[in-house]
DNA sequence: CAAGAAGCGGACCCTCGGTCCGCATCGTAC
DNA sequence: GTACGATGCGGACCGAGGGTCCGCTTCTTG
């Protein structure tokens, strides 16, 4: 009752929305810098007016979020309710690297999109729901590792290692091949998890 | 001879440049989001014309870089040729956490500026010289730690943990106090360094 | 002090995100 | 099928901000 909202959209509206997403997806994939893809470009490529974009998605970041969310859904559910090594049945010490590897692969597979999202506008990526989701999941898993402290910060720090622009820098300019990068990340995560987890907080 | 360039600048030019830097510094420190500080604002605050800014710094990112570089200089030299625990005389296992702590403190002390820089325009922060410098130093130190592999990636990953927007997120919205954050970072770095550094790179 | 170089500044341009409003299209009731 | 409101469409339009141009001022130098 509190939410009668959400009438089902009209047919043409749905079609236009889909066309916009497809066009945007395509443009972001092709173009070098996400900045170079303008809303007018997307509208033109989708064969709709600019206003249609803004009506459907609110603003530029809304569009990018919608795109990202669609791509992200499979990964999210795979982690939340899928089979091992990603799913909840996996013991934490294996699940953490699996999760980060999944995130890395996702960013490698969606480089331009991820870049567009994290570089979007100037509002911090840490506000975005998808980040909150990943961080929440990772932190929850970390918390189940005995002796590991500061799960909140640790989750942030680990996720920072797979930030889109870093991945792009390494894969793009750095020329680091995919598998090599996965190994390096795995090795790094292992270091964090393997260490004798007596908190070494040296005071001051 | 190959570089006759760099005539010494005219007096008023130097004065205006300094005024611009001071004004920009001030504005960035006051305003919430770096986005909200426009070039026109800076010009007005400095009492000069917009063209003077662009002549002196090339473009917006040039101005921010110049500001940042000035602030950064002391820290850079402290690491490169200062006394322990930052300077080169320090053994690697202590110098790495010292360096990262210095970076963290710097970002905490210059939050707005760092945010402005890393969020600047949309061009990756990994291209910037100051990042290259820090990464280079950190990697060089890491390389001197026996048994530690992938010093390049490790340096990136460690520096990612102190990225401006993460620091801002934790210190700002998260309300994490300064000392707490330093402890968490130290603990994280310790985990990376302390672990039995047999490279865990599982092949394939 | 004269002359030319160097710099100045604000009016101006362009791009781009975002909005407005008259018109077309859709869903529906008859 | 048709008439009629509601919903959506689209391109002209707006405002803001980065960056440039050009006639004028100020510094430098002999």
């Amino acid at each position: 009752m509190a939410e009668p909202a959400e009438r089902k959209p009209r047919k043409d509206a749905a079609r236009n929305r889909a066309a916009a997403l497809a066009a945007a997806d395509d443009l972001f994939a092709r173009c070098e810098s996400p900045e170079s893809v303008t809303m007018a470009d997307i509208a033109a490529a989708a064969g709709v007016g600019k206003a249609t974009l803004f009506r459907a998605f609110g603003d530029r970041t809304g569009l990018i979020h919608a795109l990202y969310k669609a791509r992200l859904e499979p990964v999210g559910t795979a982690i939340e309710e899928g089979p091992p090594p990603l799913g909840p049945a996996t013991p934490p010490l294996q699940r953490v690297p699996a999760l980060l590897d999944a995130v890395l692969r996702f960013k490698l597979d969606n480089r331009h999109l991820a870049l567009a999202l994290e570089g979007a506008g100037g509002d911090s990526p840490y506000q975005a729901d998808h980040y909150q989701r990943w961080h929440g999941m990772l932190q929850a898993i970390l918390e189940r590792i005995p002796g590991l402290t500061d799960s909140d910060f640790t989750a942030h720090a680990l996720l920072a290692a797979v930030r889109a622009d870093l991945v792009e820098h390494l894969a793009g300019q750095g020329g680091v091949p995919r598998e090599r990068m996965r190994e390096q990340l795995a090795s790094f995560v292992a270091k964090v998890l393997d260490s004798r987890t007596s908190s070494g907080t040296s005071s001051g």
Side-chain angles (χ1 to χ4, degrees), chain A:
Chain A
M1 298 300 179
E3 299 193 4
E6 305 304 321
R7 267 177 302 268
K8 84 176 174 190
R10 240 167 62 172
K11 194 174 51 175
D12 52 350
R15 179 171 38 77
N16 282 335
R17 182 187 170 93
L21 282 175
D25 205 344
D26 190 58
L27 285 181
F28 278 123
R30 289 191 203 295
C31 292
E32 270 319 297
S33 166
E35 311 281 311
S36 65
V37 178
T38 77
M39 293 299 272
D41 290 340
I42 298 173
V48 303
K50 273 177 61 179
T52 300
L53 289 191
F54 288 98
R55 203 174 308 111
F57 302 103
D59 58 7
R60 184 187 163 92
T61 68
L63 200 172
I64 297 176
H65 271 80
L67 260 181
Y68 203 75
K69 194 176 171 188
R71 294 285 192 97
L72 200 50
E73 204 44 44
V75 185
T77 55
I79 294 174
E80 279 177 348
E81 50 196 65
L86 271 181
T90 319
L93 280 176
Q94 295 164 41
R95 203 172 169 211
V96 169
L99 187 151
L100 285 161
D101 185 56
V103 176
L104 174 61
R105 277 178 301 166
F106 181 78
K107 301 233 180 167
L108 282 167
D109 291 336
N110 300 278
R111 268 160 57 176
H112 298 92
L113 198 50
L115 265 182
L117 186 70
E118 295 188 14
D123 48 287
S124 145
Y126 291 98
Q127 314 273 5
D129 357 350
H130 66 90
Y131 183 85
Q132 309 262 3
R133 188 178 179 191
W134 268 340
H135 178 268
M137 293 192 295
L138 181 53
Q139 182 184 2
I141 306 174
L142 287 172
E143 225 142 43
R144 298 181 50 204
I145 299 179
L148 192 150
T149 59
D150 298 332
S151 64
D152 180 79
F153 181 84
T154 306
H156 281 302
L158 286 176
L159 285 174
V162 290
R163 281 186 60 163
D165 48 5
L166 177 52
V167 170
E168 171 67 21
H169 176 70
L170 294 175
Q173 282 71 45
V176 179
R178 182 187 180 93
E179 297 306 321
R180 174 95 189 95
M181 211 160 146
R182 291 179 61 196
E183 286 172 11
Q184 290 179 323
L185 176 65
S187 171
F188 183 77
V189 175
K191 278 177 201 141
V192 176
L193 298 183
D194 284 0
S195 81
R196 326 157 183 74
T197 43
S198 55
S199 72
T201 55
S202 58
S203 64

